[in-house]
């Protein structure tokens, strides 16, 4: 047998060893550059039983991507089954993602009789750090950051024993030979003092698997307020960590799949509905019925809760706005000095900084907002051979992608490429991912925007370069992960992306496939008054959309700022002449305008805030009468939302509730999408639709669009393996470049 996938460093060979012994088979197993290979000898029924149990009883972290076997002639009888040294040959390595603490290690962590009792770094082949500690290939201890910790005799014996749970578990250690905790400022009991500070409502920075978090008692409103003030994060929700599912159920109304995701080895942050009587401080997620929950996924995190009285901790990435998560100890000590009251750290180096993954449940399946720790570097299967390509992604929510044949390796979340710190992480991520996966790209793909730092990086590589339009990449990303080919309809809604005509796109109906697309329709373009300022101040977009029908009447809109006469004249000039007001078809900015008009939001202090507020408001209402909209025929057709916004205003003045109108806005927009797709179907005969772009993180809108399209006999495809936001752009760039080449 030859087996490829995540089958090294996850207890696969000892699993094969034990299974062969149970079935009375003889032979051998060894790691190979492409995965694992083995040879078995036995009766036909024994071999058939092995093949069946091999896939049914895999170790928790193992993933088989391909399995080949052939029958051999019996040359001689064998005795016993052995694990051989690794073979040489063609390399196609895969490394397991980091994994949450397993139940066996959790039991040992809590057992006073166990030699690893309360050891903050307890791990085995079924759990613990993988991707964040690997420095090279093959995945052996000398090529991880655990190389600095020689094994003691007891750990060495476990490591060498094929029947032990820690056989060849590269990160294993114990209190005698493993990493050590320390506290800044110094203390004889680092863990105990950190817990005491948290109990007092103070802020503690904690070094985890992929970087530092800032932690406070999530049930202490004053502590959370202090964290917001020091981190300068006014309203964006914080993630909350709890010790177990029992506690999670006390804080949130959990569905079965949400519980399974929380308790899975990946241990993501899951966005769930908060209970009305939750003990979590209101400032954790201001004005929101949703909360981002995760379970304590490392032994250190578990010890923070063990008999301490702490029920829930805010656990937010320790970094300044727009900068990558801190992972270097010296940088953390310097940058967190004015934020954290203490730093709980350790001396195991983090090789790859990795944020927590974030997702929510949609239609009974996960929908990613951020794909990172726990899932990276697990490959995304491709519907065709893409060769070896590097795609450098977008400017916001950046990830990069490397392809190898029919597999795409998408990096962990990097962040917004707006400064040197993030650019440095971006470069290091590309180098590390290419080194570990042993992929030397032959082609590079980037966004068409000439000023993106990722684009400039791609231009300097000296490789053949493919420039990909932003929204085409969104569409191709969704196609690739759904295994689609051929022409179809792409409904791509987001905040911003450079269009083929040099304007800012974001509300697009595209037709085509990987090779090329045409713009079949789009949201009617308006001015973006003040440029980037319009993305932070939603009233500007309300003024832009309603200037043509209302003129000076916009100043009577509820909530409009009081401006001096000269400022009003300036805004009028901006809207009429386009001074610092580029044209845009951005759907994200339309949501900003609607959120402002119904009183859901007056500003965007973080990306998508107004849209999130509008969605939250809409979820509290029953289905109302639809708001009207207008589709203007043409090539491309235009969706004019002015009637929708005017109708919203009229019904608001007539006394209809803001929640009802927020839902009517979502439903009216969803109906407009169906009409737009129907126009395209009449012209082309196409009936497959993919939905992509950051606006489709809106669960209500996605549900309505999906349902309305399905009722109109369209086949609808959404994201499941990568985020619909710009975190999935690199995948789309890669597959488009592969097809064009």
């Amino acid at each position: 047998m030859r087996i490829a996938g995540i089958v090294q460093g996850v207890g696969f060979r000892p699993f094969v060893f034990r299974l062969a012994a149970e079935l009375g088979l003889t032979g051998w197993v060894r790691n190979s550059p492409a995965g694992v290979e083995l040879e078995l000898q036995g009766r036909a029924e024994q071999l058939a039983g092995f093949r069946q149990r091999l896939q049914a009883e895999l170790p928790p972290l193992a993933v088989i991507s391909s399995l080949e076997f052939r029958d051999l002639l019996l040359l001689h009888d064998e005795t016993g089954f052995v694990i051989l040294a690794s073979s040489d040959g063609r390399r196609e390595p895969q490394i397991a993602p980091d994994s949450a603490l397993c139940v066996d290690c959790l039991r040992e962590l809590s057992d006073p009789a166990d030699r690893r009792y309360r050891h903050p770094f307890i791990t085995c082949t079924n759990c613990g750090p993988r991707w964040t500690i690997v420095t090279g290939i093959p995945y052996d201890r000398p090529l991880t950051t655990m190389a600095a910790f020689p094994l003691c005799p007891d750990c060495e014996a476990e490591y060498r024993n094929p029947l032990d749970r820690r056989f060849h578990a590269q990160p294993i250690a114990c209190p005698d030979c493993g990493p050590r905790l320390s506290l800044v400022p110094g203390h004889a009991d680092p863990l105990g003092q950190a817990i005491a500070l948290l109990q007092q409502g103070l802020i503690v920075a904690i070094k985890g698997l992929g970087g530092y978090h800032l932690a406070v008692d999530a049930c202490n409103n004053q502590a959370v307020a202090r964290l917001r003030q020091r981190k300068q994060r006014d309203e964006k929700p914080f993630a909350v960590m709890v010790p177990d599912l029992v506690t999670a159920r006390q804080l949130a109304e959990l569905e079965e799949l949400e519980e399974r995701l929380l308790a899975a080895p990946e241990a993501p942050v899951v966005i769930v509905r908060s209970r009305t009587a939750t003990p979590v401080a209101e400032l954790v997620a201001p004005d929101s019925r949703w909360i981002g929950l995760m379970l304590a996924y490392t032994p250190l995190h578990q010890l923070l809760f063990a008999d301490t009285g702490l029920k829930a901790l805010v656990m937010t990435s320790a970094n300044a706005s727009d900068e990558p998560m801190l992972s270097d100890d010296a940088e953390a000590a310097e940058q967190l000095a004015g934020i954290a009251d203490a730093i709980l750290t350790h001396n195991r180096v983090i090789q790859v900084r990795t944020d927590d993954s974030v997702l929510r449940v949609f239609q009974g399946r996960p929908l990613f907002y951020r794909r990172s720790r726990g899932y990276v570097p697990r490959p995304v299967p491709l519907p065709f051979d893409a060769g070896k390509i590097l795609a450098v992604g977008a400017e916001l929510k950046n990830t990069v992608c490397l392809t190898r044949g029919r597999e795409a390796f998408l990096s962990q979340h990097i962040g917004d490429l707006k400064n040197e710190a993030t650019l440095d992480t971006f470069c290091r991520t590309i180098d590390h991912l290419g080194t570990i996966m042993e992929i030397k790209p032959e082609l590079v793909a980037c966004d068409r925007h000439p000023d993106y730092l990722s684009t400039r990086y791609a231009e300097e590589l000296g490789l053949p370069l493919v420039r990909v339009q932003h929204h085409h990449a969104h569409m191709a990303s969704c196609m690739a992960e759904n295994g689609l080919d051929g022409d179809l309809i792409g409904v791509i809604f987001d905040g911003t992306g450079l269009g083929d005509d040099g304007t800012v796109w974001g509300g697009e109906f595209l037709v085509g496939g990987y090779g090329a697309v045409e713009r079949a329709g789009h949201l009617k373009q308006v001015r973006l008054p003040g440029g980037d300022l319009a993305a932070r101040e939603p009233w500007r977009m309300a003024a832009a959309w309603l200037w043509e029908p209302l003129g000076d009447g916009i100043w009577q809109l509820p909530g409009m700022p009081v401006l001096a006469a000269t400022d009003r004249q300036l805004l009028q000039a901006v809207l009429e002449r386009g001074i610092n007001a580029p044209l845009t078809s951005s759907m994200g900015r339309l949501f900003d305008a609607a959120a402002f008009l119904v009183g859901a939001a007056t500003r965007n202090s973080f990306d998508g805030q107004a849209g999130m507020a509008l969605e939250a408001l809409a979820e509290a209402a029953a289905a109302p009468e639809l708001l009207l909209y207008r589709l203007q025929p043409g090539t491309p057709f235009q969706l004019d939302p002015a009637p929708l916004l005017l109708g919203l205003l009229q019904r608001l003045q007539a006394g209809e509730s803001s929640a009802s109108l927020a839902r009517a806005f979502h439903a009216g927009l969803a109906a407009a999408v169906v009409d737009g797709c129907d126009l395209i179907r009449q012209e082309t005969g196409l009936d497959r639709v993919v939905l992509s772009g950051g606006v489709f993180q809106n669960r209500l809108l996605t549900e309505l669009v999906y349902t309305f399209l399905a009722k109109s006999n369209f086949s609808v495809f959404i994201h499941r393996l990568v985020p619909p936001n710009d975190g999935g752009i690199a995948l789309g760039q890669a597959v488009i470049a592969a097809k064009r080449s």
Side-chain angles (χ1 to χ4, degrees), residues 412-434:
Q412 67 278 10
H413 169 81
I414 296 170
D416 297 351
L417 296 181
K418 292 184 175 181
N419 55 55
E420 289 301 317
T422 317
L423 180 62
D424 180 66
T425 299
F426 167 84
C427 297
R428 289 172 180 265
T429 299
I430 292 172
D431 291 344
H432 185 261
L433 188 63

Side-chain angles (χ1 to χ4, degrees), residues 10 43 104 114 156 230 233 252 269 315 384 424 552 654 676:
V10 292
R43 297 187 307 278
D104 291 323
D114 193 278
E156 181 77 24
R230 291 190 190 174
R233 181 165 161 172
V269 175
M315 200 67 69
F384 54 85
D424 180 66
D552 284 339

Side-chain angles (χ1 to χ4, degrees), residues 444-495:
V444 61
C446 68
D447 195 276
R448 282 188 181 171
H449 200 299
D451 296 330
Y452 284 178
L453 294 179
S454 55
T455 300
R456 294 176 184 174
Y457 173 91
E459 291 170 343
E460 294 171 1
L461 286 180
L463 293 172
L465 179 64
V466 176
R467 301 178 192 271
V468 180
Q469 198 277 325
H470 186 90
H471 300 92
H472 188 192
H474 270 304
M475 176 176 168
S477 174
C478 192
M479 290 177 64
E481 70 158 272
N482 282 285
L484 303 175
D485 210 337
D487 287 349
L488 42 71
I489 303 168
V491 180
I492 316 300
F493 290 171
D494 65 0

Side-chain angles (χ1 to χ4, degrees), residues 612-628:
M612 289 171 57
L614 188 69
E615 178 191 7
L617 185 63
E619 287 184 330
E625 180 183 347
L626 289 182
L627 287 163
L628 300 178

